[in-house]
C-alpha cells in the first residue's frame, strides 16, 4: 500500500466527517480533461469501469459532446493480483480500435490503494510492443487526495516532462499553459490576443481544438483536435511560457527546468488590472505597441465598469469553485465593490492565503449554503442550484460541470472584452433582482395603493424579478 | 468480503431467470456479466447500479462510503422525481482521505452517520460500499449493525463496491440489501385487497405518475414502488402486498422472486411502454389480485378502462399518422424497449429500420421477430462509427437511443431522441406513448435540420 504523500485536504477535516453536497470532484477527472486537450488523444483511467463511466457522463453533460475516455476495467481479482496485464490489454485494444496519436493514463483510488507500479508496467509494455508508436503519459492521481484542479495540473506537468525537449529559440513563439478553469472560449480569445502581437502561440492543453463544440467532417473515436504532439515537442523552442492560474506554476517551471524557456504566471486574466498586466507583458515581449483594437476594448471595459458599479457596490457574493476560478472571480468582484460573503474551494492552494481575510476555506456546498444566507448572489457549478433554490438567492453557474445551461464551453471571462461581458452578465443578475422594481425601498404595504389605483408597473416588475436565471424553477434533468 | 462473495454467487444463481437456467454449473458461477475488455469497455459499475436502484427512495439519506470520486463525480445526475421529500437529492459521502486509506475509514463512517442523523433526521441511512474501503477491509455490514443499535435508527449496508461487477449486478445487490434489511421490518397502517408492489420502476421524469391515476381509478393501491418516489416505510412494509409487477426487464428479478418465496406475493413481468403492453400490465395486475381474493369485478372494470384508454390513445396516435407515415427510425436501446415501443411506432406508420438486441433476452428477440416479421432488423452490436455511417448515408430519418450515442446522430445532422434514463419526458402509459410520438414528430419536423444541412457558401461555390 502506498503511504500517502500528504494528508488530503478534504473538506471535513477535523470539523465534520461527512461531506454534504460535494463541490469537489476527483483528480483523475481533471487529468482526463487535460489529456482531452491533446489532438487525437485517448485518456484512460486505471481503475474500475465505473470510474470512467461517471467521468464520461459528467463531461458529456457539460460539453454536450462525445467524450473519448477508456478504462482498464479492473475488477476485484485483477486489483489484488496487480493491474499490469489490464493496462497492456487496454493499450493494445485502444491502439487497434481507435489509433490515437496520444494516450494519457490516470490512476484512481482503487489502483493507488493497491499500489500498482504503472510506470514500471509501461516500460515493460512499450519495450514488448514496438508497434506502439504514440506517446503514453502516465500520472498518479489517487481519488482520495487533492481535487480536479490538481489532476489537471499534474497531467500538464506530466505531459511537459515526457514530451517537451530543449531546442534553439524560435522568435515569436510562446507557450500558453491554461488552467482547468480556462474555457475553450477563453483560449480562442487568448490566441487571438497573442497573435495580434505577432506572436505564435502553442496552447497546452488546447480544449478549443477538441471541445469547442463543432461538427467534424467525419466520425472519430478520439479527441477531435487539440495540441498536436509535434507542437508539444517543440514547446522548448518558445521565447516564453504564459501560465494561467497558480496551479499551472509547477508545469510552467517544469518546462523551464527541462528546456530553459522562462515562465510568467498570471494568477488571473479577469478584471481591468489583470488584463492590463497581460497586455503590458505581451507588448514588452513582442516589442510592439498594444493594437488599437484592444485600446478600444479597454475603453469599453472602463465604461462598462462606470455604468455597472452602481449595482455591484456592497453586494454580498458567495462563491464555491476550484481555487483558481474562485480567485479569478473573487478578486474581480472585490475590484467591482462587492464583498465575499463566503469563499469555499476544493483543494489546497496559494489563493487560500490571498482570500484569507474573506475566510476562504476548503469545504463543500453545505458549508457554502450555511454562509450564504441573505447574500445577493451565489456562484458555483450547476450542483449549487439546490442550495440557491433553498436560499432563494440569485444563482450564477460558473466552473464545471454546468449541465443545465447551454454554451458552457464558450463563456469568455479573460481579457478586456471577456471582463466587459462578465460585468454585464453579473450586473444584469443584480439588476434583475431588485433594481428594476419601482417599489424597492417602499415601506411595507406601500404597494397596496399602487395596486388599487391600477398601477400596471408593479405587476410587470414583480414578473421581472422572477424572469432571471431562475434558481427557483423546478428543473432537474 | 466473504459474505459479499456469497451474495454475488447467490444472485448469479437466479432460478427465475430463464437465461441462467440454460447454463451449466460452471457457466453459472462465472456470473451473468460478460468479461470486460480493458480499453474497450463501457458502462457503469456495481456501485452505480446499486445507487440507481435505491436513490429514488426519497426520504432516505444515501451515504457513499468512499473517496470523493464515487459521489463527487456522479451525484445529482438522474431524473427520478419525488412527490414529497427531497433528501434523496442531497449528496452525502465520507470523502475518505489518504489517512483513512492507511488507518481504515470505519471511524469516519460512523461519525458521518451520526452527523447525518443529527442534522437531517432521516427515517434511515443507506450506506453504499465502494472499491477503496472494500479493498482495505472496512466492514460496513458490522458497522451499520452497530450504528443501528447505537442510534436506534435503521442504517442499511448496501454492499456493492464497483469492482465486483456491472451496473446490472449492482441493481441486484441493492435488491438483496432491501430483502435482507428493509422489507418486512415494518407493518403498513392498513391493507386492502388491491395492494400491489411495482418492482424496478424508478419514476424517471415522473413516469410512475402516468400510471398511478389509472391504477387509482381501479382502486388499486401501490403499496410500495421499488423504488420510484418511495418512502422508506413503504418499502419496509412492502411484504403485505397481494401481488407484484416486475418492470424493467430483469434488473430486480431477485426481489420479485424472493418476495414470492417468502411472503407468497405472486408477480409477473410487464412493461408500461407501448399501448398494448400497458393494457397487458393492467390486465395481469387485475388477474393476480382477483386470484388472491380481490372482488372479481375488478377484471371487468379493468377491461372497461382499457377499452376507453386504448381507444383514446389510438385515436390520438392516428392524428400523427399523416406526418409520420413512412419515416424510418433506428432504435438503439435494449431489453424491453427494443420491442415494446415498436408496435406504437408502427401504428403511426413509422418504419423501424433496425432495433438493437445486444441487451435483449431470448424472449425479447422472439417478440421482435413476431412484431417485425423477421430477424433482418435485429442489430447485434453496432459500433458508433457504423451508426454514424448509416445515418450519414441517410438510411434512417431519425435515431432513438440513450444519451451515450446522442452525438453520433447529431454530428451526422440527423434527428435524435433520448429514450433511456436521462430523458426529460415521461413515455410510460397510454399518455406516454402519445408523448413519445409527439416528441418524434417535433424532432423530425424541426426546420433546423434543413438549416444545418445547408452547405456553407464556400462549399456551395465549389459544388457549382
Amino acid at each position: 500500500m502506498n503511504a500517502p504523500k500528504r494528508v488530503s485536504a478534504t473538506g471535513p477535516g477535523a470539523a465534520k466527517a461527512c461531506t454534504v453536497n460535494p463541490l469537489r470532484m476527483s483528480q483523475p477527472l481533471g487529468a482526463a480533461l487535460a489529456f482531452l486537450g491533446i489532438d487525437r488523444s485517448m485518456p484512460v483511467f486505471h481503475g474500475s469501469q465505473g470510474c470512467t463511466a461517471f467521468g464520461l457522463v459528467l463531461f458529456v453533460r457539460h460539453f454536450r459532446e462525445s467524450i473519448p475516455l477508456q478504462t482498464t476495467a479492473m475488477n476485484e481479482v485483477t486489483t489484488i493480483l496487480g493491474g499490469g496485464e489490464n493496462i497492456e490489454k487496454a493499450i493494445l485494444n485502444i491502439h487497434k480500435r481507435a489509433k490515437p496519436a496520444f494516450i494519457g493514463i490516470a490512476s484512481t483510488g482503487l489502483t493507488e490503494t493497491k499500489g500498482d507500479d504503472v510506470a514500471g508496467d509501461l516500460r515493460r509494455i512499450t519495450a514488448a510492443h514496438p508497434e506502439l508508436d504514440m506517446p503514453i503519459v502516465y500520472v498518479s492521481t489517487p481519488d482520495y487526495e487533492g481535487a480536479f484542479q490538481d489532476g489537471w495540473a499534474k497531467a500538464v506537468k506530466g505531459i511537459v516532462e515526457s514530451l517537451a525537449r530543449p531546442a534553439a529559440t524560435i522568435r515569436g513563439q510562446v507557450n500558453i499553459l491554461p488552467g482547468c478553469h480556462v474555457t475553450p472560449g477563453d483560449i480562442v480569445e487568448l490566441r487571438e490576443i497573442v497573435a495580434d502581437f505577432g506572436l505564435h502561440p502553442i496552447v497546452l492543453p488546447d480544449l478549443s481544438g477538441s471541445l469547442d463544440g463543432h461538427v467534424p467532417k467525419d466520425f472519430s473515436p478520439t479527441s477531435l483536435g487539440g495540441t498536436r504532439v509535434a507542437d508539444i515537442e517543440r514547446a522548448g523552442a518558445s521565447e516564453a511560457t504564459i501560465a494561467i492560474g497558480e496551479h499551472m506554476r509547477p508545469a510552467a517551471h517544469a518546462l523551464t527546468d527541462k528546456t530553459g524557456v522562462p515562465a510568467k504566471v498570471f494568477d488571473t486574466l479577469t478584471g481591468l488590472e489583470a488584463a492590463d498586466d497581460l497586455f503590458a507583458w505581451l507588448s514588452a515581449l513582442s516589442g510592439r505597441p498594444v493594437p488599437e483594437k484592444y485600446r478600444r476594448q479597454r475603453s469599453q471595459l472602463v465604461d462598462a465598469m462606470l455604468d455597472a458599479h452602481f449595482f455591484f457596490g456592497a453586494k454580498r457574493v458567495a462563491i464555491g469553485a476550484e481555487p483558481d476560478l474562485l480567485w479569478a472571480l473573487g478578486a474581480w468582484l472585490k475590484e467591482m465593490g462587492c464583498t465575499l460573503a463566503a469563499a469555499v474551494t476544493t483543494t489546497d492552494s496559494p489563493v487560500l492565503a490571498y482570500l484569507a481575510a474573506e475566510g476562504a476555506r476548503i469545504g463543500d456546498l453545505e458549508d457554502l449554503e450555511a454562509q450564504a444566507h441573505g447574500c445577493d448572489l451565489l456562484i458555483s457549478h450547476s450542483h449549487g442550484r439546490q442550495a440557491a433554490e433553498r436560499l432563494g438567492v440569485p444563482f450564477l453557474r460558473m466552473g464545471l460541470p454546468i449541465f443545465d445551461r447551454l454554451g458552457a464551453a464558450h463563456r469568455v471571462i479573460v481579457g478586456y472584452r471577456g471582463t466587459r461581458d462578465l460585468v454585464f452578465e453579473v450586473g444584469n443578475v443584480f439588476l434583475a433582482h431588485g433594481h428594476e422594481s419601482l417599489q424597492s425601498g417602499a415601506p411595507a404595504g406601500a404597494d397596496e395603493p399602487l395596486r388599487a389605483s391600477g398601477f400596471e408597473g408593479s405587476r410587470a416588475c414583480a414578473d421581472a424579478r422572477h424572469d432571471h436565471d431562475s434558481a427557483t424553477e423546478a428543473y432537474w434533468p | 468480503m466473504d459474505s459479499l462473495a456469497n451474495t454475488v454467487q447467490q444472485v448469479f444463481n437466479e432460478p427465475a431467470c430463464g437465461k441462467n437456467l440454460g447454463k451449466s454449473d460452471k457457466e453459472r458461477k462465472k456470473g451473468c456479466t460478460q468479461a470486460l475488455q480493458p480499453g474497450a469497455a463501457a458502462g457503469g459499475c456495481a456501485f452505480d447500479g446499486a445507487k440507481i436502484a435505491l436513490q429514488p427512495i426519497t426520504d432516505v439519506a444515501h451515504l457513499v462510503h468512499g473517496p470523493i470520486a464515487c459521489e463527487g463525480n456522479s451525484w445529482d445526475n438522474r431524473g427520478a422525481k419525488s412527490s414529497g421529500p427531497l433528501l434523496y437529492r442531497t449528496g452525502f459521502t465520507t470523502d475518505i482521505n489518504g489517512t483513512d486509506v492507511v488507518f481504515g475509514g470505519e471511524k469516519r463512517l460512523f461519525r458521518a452517520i451520526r452527523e447525518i442523523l443529527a442534522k437531517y433526521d432521516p427515517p434511515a441511512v443507506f450506506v453504499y460500499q465502494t472499491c477503496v474501503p472494500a479493498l482495505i477491509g472496512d466492514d460496513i455490514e458490522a458497522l451499520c449493525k452497530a450504528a443501528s443499535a447505537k442510534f436506534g435508527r435503521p442504517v442499511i449496508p448496501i454492499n456493492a463496491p464497483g469492482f465486483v461487477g456491472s451496473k446490472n449486478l449492482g441493481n441486484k445487490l441493492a435488491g438483496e440489501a432491501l430483502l435482507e434489511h428493509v422489507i418486512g421490518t415494518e407493518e403498513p397502517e392498513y391493507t386492502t385487497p388491491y395492494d400491489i408492489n411495482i418492482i424496478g420502476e424508478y419514476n424517471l421524469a415522473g413516469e410512475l405518475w402516468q400510471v398511478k391515476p389509472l391504477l387509482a381509478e381501479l382502486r388499486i393501491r401501490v403499496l410500495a414502488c421499488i423504488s420510484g418516489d418511495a418512502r422508506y416505510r413503504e418499502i419496509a412494509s412492502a411484504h403485505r402486498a397481494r401481488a407484484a409487477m416486475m418492470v424493467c426487464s430483469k434488473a430486480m428479478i431477485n426481489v420479485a422472486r424472493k418476495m414470492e418465496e417468502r411472503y407468497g406475493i405472486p408477480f409477473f413481468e410487464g412493461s408500461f411502454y407501448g399501448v398494448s403492453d400497458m393494457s397487458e400490465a393492467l390486465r395481469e395486475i387485475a388477474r393476480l389480485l382477483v386470484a388472491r381474493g380481490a372482488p372479481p369485478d375488478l377484471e371487468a372494470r379493468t377491461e372497461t378502462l382499457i377499452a376507453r384508454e386504448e381507444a383514446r390513445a389510438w385515436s390520438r396516435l392516428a392524428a400523427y399518422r399523416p406526418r409520420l407515415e413512412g419515416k424510418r427510425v433506428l432504435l438503439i436501446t435494449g431489453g424491453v424497449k427494443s420491442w415494446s415501443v415498436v408496435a406504437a411506432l408502427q401504428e403511426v406508420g413509422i418504419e423501424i429500420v433496425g432495433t438493437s438486441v445486444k441487451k435483449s433476452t431470448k424472449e425479447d428477440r422472439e417478440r421482435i421477430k413476431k412484431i417485425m416479421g423477421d430477424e433482418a432488423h435485429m442489430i447485434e452490436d453496432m459500433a458508433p462509427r457504423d451508426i454514424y455511417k448509416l445515418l450519414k448515408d441517410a438510411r434512417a430519418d431519425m435515431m432513438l437511443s440513450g444519451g451515450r450515442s446522442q452525438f453520433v446522430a447529431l454530428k451526422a445532422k440527423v434527428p435524435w431522441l433520448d429514450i433511456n434514463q436521462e430523458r426529460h419526458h415521461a413515455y410510460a402509459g397510454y399518455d406516454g406513448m402519445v408523448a413519445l410520438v409527439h416528441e418524434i414528430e417535433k424532432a423530425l419536423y424541426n426546420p433546423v435540420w434543413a438549416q444545418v444541412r445547408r452547405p456553407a457558401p464556400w462549399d456551395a461555390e465549389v459544388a457549382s
Side-chain angles (χ1 to χ4, degrees):
Chain A
M1 192 175 294
N2 279 354
K5 284 170 209 84
R6 67 181 167 105
V7 175
S8 163
T10 47
K16 62 181 195 183
C18 188
T19 292
V20 183
N21 294 332
L23 174 68
R24 194 163 107 255
M25 296 166 295
S26 73
Q27 285 200 100
L29 278 190
L33 187 58
F35 292 143
L36 285 169
I38 311 295
D39 185 37
R40 291 175 51 221
S41 90
M42 178 65 83
V44 183
F45 284 167
H46 182 35
S48 143
Q49 69 161 343
C51 307
T52 290
F54 285 146
L56 205 136
V57 169
L58 186 116
F59 287 138
V60 165
R61 292 178 88 204
H62 178 82
F63 289 106
R64 296 175 195 259
E65 290 292 319
S66 283
I67 299 292
L69 184 57
Q70 262 302 334
T71 172
T72 56
M74 299 293 287
N75 60 34
E76 201 176 350
V77 176
T78 52
T79 300
I80 290 161
L81 297 179
E85 204 176 307
N86 278 44
I87 295 173
E88 181 168 359
K89 278 189 201 157
I91 292 173
L92 296 179
N93 254 329
I94 291 166
H95 176 61
K96 194 174 79 190
R97 289 166 179 242
K99 306 230 168 343
F102 174 92
I103 294 178
I105 302 178
S107 64
T108 62
L110 178 65
T111 50
E112 288 284 345
T113 302
K114 165 59 175 51
D116 277 353
D117 173 21
V118 179
D121 288 332
L122 283 175
R123 278 192 296 276
R124 179 181 59 75
I125 293 163
T126 45
H129 296 282
E131 77 271 21
L132 297 173
D133 49 358
M134 80 299 260
I136 303 173
V137 172
Y138 163 71
V139 284
S140 162
T141 48
D143 293 297
Y144 47 77
E145 285 176 7
F148 187 90
Q149 181 180 291
D150 300 305
W152 169 284
K154 282 185 188 177
V156 179
K157 184 162 176 269
I159 294 166
V160 163
E161 284 171 343
S162 306
L163 300 179
R165 313 190 204 306
T169 303
I170 299 172
R171 286 281 296 159
Q173 180 177 303
V174 291
N175 304 320
I176 300 178
L177 305 183
C180 66
H181 58 306
V182 180
T183 67
D186 286 330
I187 294 174
V188 171
E189 180 78 2
L190 278 171
R191 180 180 276 116
E192 186 179 325
I193 291 169
V194 170
D196 282 345
F197 284 91
L199 302 168
H200 311 289
I202 293 174
V203 183
L204 173 69
D206 185 4
L207 293 179
S208 77
S210 51
L211 289 171
D212 64 329
H214 65 284
V215 182
K217 288 248 180 300
D218 203 357
F219 178 83
S220 165
T222 61
S223 64
L224 302 176
T227 324
R228 286 174 308 170
V229 170
D231 285 338
I232 306 172
E233 287 168 349
R234 56 189 195 88
S238 291
E239 277 193 80
T241 297
I242 304 169
I244 303 155
E246 277 295 343
H247 69 294
M248 299 315 288
R249 192 180 290 276
H253 286 179
L255 188 55
T256 308
D257 292 347
K258 197 159 178 205
T259 66
V261 177
K264 164 75 181 168
V265 179
F266 290 92
D267 55 351
T268 167
L269 294 179
T270 302
L272 181 65
E273 213 177 311
D276 279 347
D277 287 349
L278 173 71
F279 281 93
W281 187 87
L282 287 172
S283 180
L285 178 77
S286 63
R288 295 190 185 189
V290 174
E292 183 53 38
K293 170 177 151 188
Y294 297 105
R295 298 174 186 226
R296 186 73 172 202
Q297 283 183 11
R298 186 182 192 279
S299 179
Q300 289 169 352
L301 171 57
V302 169
D303 193 61
M305 291 166 74
L306 290 169
D307 290 344
H309 82 278
F310 300 106
F311 314 110
F312 280 74
K315 283 289 190 308
R316 296 176 67 249
V317 183
I319 312 176
E322 297 276 347
D324 279 310
L325 180 60
L326 170 67
W327 173 241
L329 296 172
W332 166 73
L333 284 166
K334 281 168 61 181
E335 287 163 11
M336 292 297 296
C338 300
T339 57
L340 298 191
V344 176
T345 193
T346 57
T347 185
D348 207 7
S349 158
V351 316
L352 284 165
Y354 304 167
L355 291 171
E358 279 75 21
R361 55 182 287 204
I362 293 167
D364 55 30
L365 289 170
E366 185 191 50
D367 301 328
L368 186 69
E369 188 174 344
Q371 290 175 269
H373 282 277
C375 71
D376 298 293
L377 178 65
L378 189 120
I379 302 177
S380 82
H381 54 45
S382 282
H383 287 302
R385 62 190 172 156
Q386 290 188 46
E389 190 180 327
R390 281 188 289 264
L391 294 168
V393 300
F395 180 45
L396 183 70
R397 290 156 176 84
M398 282 281 185
L400 182 152
I402 294 176
F403 47 74
D404 52 356
R405 287 294 181 275
L406 297 167
H410 294 289
R411 291 290 264 311
V412 180
I413 65 166
V414 299
Y416 297 128
R417 184 162 57 180
T419 306
R420 181 199 67 195
D421 291 349
L422 186 63
V423 168
F424 294 147
E425 184 176 5
V426 175
N428 283 336
V429 175
F430 290 141
L431 263 168
H433 285 264
H435 290 277
E436 279 179 4
S437 170
L438 295 177
Q439 298 170 328
S440 65
D447 59 330
E448 289 308 316
L450 286 177
R451 229 181 264 158
S453 66
F455 184 81
E456 296 279 332
S458 65
R459 181 57 195 272
C461 294
D463 286 346
R465 235 172 300 142
H466 291 288
D467 184 27
H468 64 274
D469 211 11
S470 174
T472 48
E473 71 191 78
Y475 185 86
W476 191 31
Chain B
M1 293 299 291
D2 268 356
S3 73
L4 176 58
N6 283 338
T7 313
V8 170
Q9 274 310 316
Q10 203 192 326
V11 164
F12 283 153
N13 194 12
E14 174 55 58
C17 175
K19 207 167 181 171
N20 183 53
L21 286 180
K23 289 180 184 171
S24 70
D25 278 357
K26 206 174 162 195
E27 278 179 319
R28 205 169 293 150
K29 269 208 161 151
K30 273 195 202 156
C32 43
T33 44
Q34 293 165 337
L36 296 169
Q37 273 289 335
C45 60
F47 157 70
D48 191 10
K51 195 94 183 303
I52 290 164
L54 300 183
Q55 182 133 24
I57 305 174
T58 56
D59 55 353
V60 159
H62 299 272
L63 168 61
V64 176
H65 182 42
I68 192 65
C70 307
E71 180 70 353
N73 298 355
S74 77
W75 70 292
D76 197 12
N77 72 356
R78 281 182 180 264
K81 294 206 170 178
S82 169
S83 58
L86 292 172
L87 188 62
Y88 74 121
R89 287 186 63 193
T90 297
F92 296 104
T93 173
T94 50
D95 187 1
I96 59 171
N97 61 31
T99 313
D100 298 320
V101 172
V102 175
F103 297 106
E106 291 180 358
K107 278 192 182 133
R108 183 186 290 279
L109 174 58
F110 195 79
R111 282 170 50 215
I113 294 167
R114 187 169 57 203
E115 280 173 20
I116 290 170
L117 290 172
K119 275 194 275 194
Y120 295 90
D121 193 29
V125 180
F126 282 14
V127 175
Y128 296 78
Q129 178 69 305
T130 64
C131 297
V132 171
L135 193 62
I136 62 174
D138 282 2
D139 184 350
I140 67 157
E141 309 252 357
L143 189 133
C144 287
K145 202 169 165 187
S148 296
K150 168 106 179 164
F151 303 123
R153 194 70 59 92
V155 180
I156 311 300
I158 314 296
N159 207 351
F163 64 12
V164 298
S166 68
K167 206 146 86 173
N168 184 286
L169 175 62
N171 293 155
K172 292 190 166 65
L173 291 174
E176 288 298 314
L178 293 183
L179 288 163
E180 179 71 22
H181 302 287
V182 184
I183 294 167
T185 58
E186 291 187 34
E187 290 299 328
E189 275 174 41
Y190 63 95
T191 58
T192 79
Y194 297 105
D195 288 355
I196 62 162
N197 292 331
I198 299 177
I199 299 167
E201 160 63 45
Y202 305 137
N203 197 31
L204 296 171
E207 295 204 311
L208 183 61
W209 300 333
Q210 302 200 160
V211 175
K212 258 186 145 173
L214 298 175
L215 295 173
E217 193 183 328
L218 297 169
R219 295 203 288 278
I220 295 168
R221 177 170 79 146
V222 179
L223 185 65
C225 178
I226 302 175
S227 57
D229 193 23
R231 313 292 183 271
Y232 179 76
R233 196 188 153 74
E234 292 167 3
I235 310 254
S237 53
H239 61 299
R240 296 300 182 201
R242 314 288 293 173
M245 170 173 170
M246 185 180 75
V247 190
C248 190
S249 64
K250 306 237 174 322
M252 285 225 203
I253 191 168
N254 51 334
V255 176
R257 200 222 356 124
K258 284 192 178 171
M259 287 186 76
E260 180 171 44
E261 210 171 84
R262 287 184 194 175
Y263 310 111
I265 304 171
F267 75 95
F268 72 99
E269 190 180 344
S271 165
F272 294 135
Y273 296 113
V275 173
S276 341
D277 285 90
M278 180 64 204
S279 300
E280 209 43 55
L282 291 174
R283 234 172 239 133
E284 197 60 19
I285 289 171
R287 194 184 65 76
L288 286 182
L289 285 174
V290 170
R292 299 239 25 232
D297 73 312
L298 174 62
E299 291 190 82
R301 287 194 287 118
T302 304
E303 289 304 330
T304 311
L305 180 137
I306 288 171
R308 185 193 74 203
E309 289 295 322
E310 281 206 358
R312 185 165 161 268
W314 290 129
S315 89
R316 289 175 71 196
L317 287 171
Y320 289 93
R321 195 175 178 100
R323 275 162 70 83
L324 295 180
E325 178 121 57
K327 295 290 181 194
R328 299 159 306 159
V329 164
L330 177 65
L331 199 57
I332 302 288
T333 168
V336 178
K337 273 181 297 221
S338 55
W339 49 263
S340 67
V341 299
V342 168
L345 299 187
Q346 286 179 334
E347 185 60 29
V348 294
I350 286 173
E351 183 194 329
I352 308 293
V353 295
T355 182
S356 62
V357 292
K358 195 184 174 189
K359 289 193 284 182
S360 303
T361 61
K362 207 170 152 193
E363 302 92 74
D364 289 335
R365 285 161 198 258
E366 287 302 317
R367 308 263 316 230
I368 295 169
K369 227 157 81 179
K370 217 170 104 191
I371 297 168
M372 303 184 57
D374 59 38
E375 292 186 25
H377 298 95
M378 289 192 210
I379 297 167
E380 279 301 332
D381 190 10
M382 200 177 225
R385 188 193 297 274
D386 298 323
I387 298 177
Y388 180 84
K389 191 160 179 352
L390 186 151
L391 296 173
K392 196 86 180 163
D393 294 350
R395 280 180 278 148
D397 299 309
M398 182 169 184
M399 179 163 90
L400 309 187
S401 74
R404 198 175 266 279
S405 40
Q406 163 175 191
F407 301 103
V408 176
L410 294 183
K411 300 287 186 192
K413 300 175 184 174
V414 166
W416 171 84
L417 191 64
D418 194 345
I419 55 164
N420 279 5
Q421 65 270 12
E422 293 103 5
R423 66 185 176 271
H424 294 201
H425 301 278
Y427 299 139
Y430 300 106
D431 289 346
M433 253 327 102
V434 178
L436 173 67
V437 169
H438 177 70
E439 289 302 317
I440 291 174
E441 191 219 22
K442 214 167 81 183
L444 276 168
Y445 281 93
N446 194 310
V448 85
W449 300 114
Q451 289 285 314
V452 300
R453 287 170 187 157
R454 272 173 61 87
W458 46 93
D459 289 337
E461 274 165 30
V462 173
S464 64

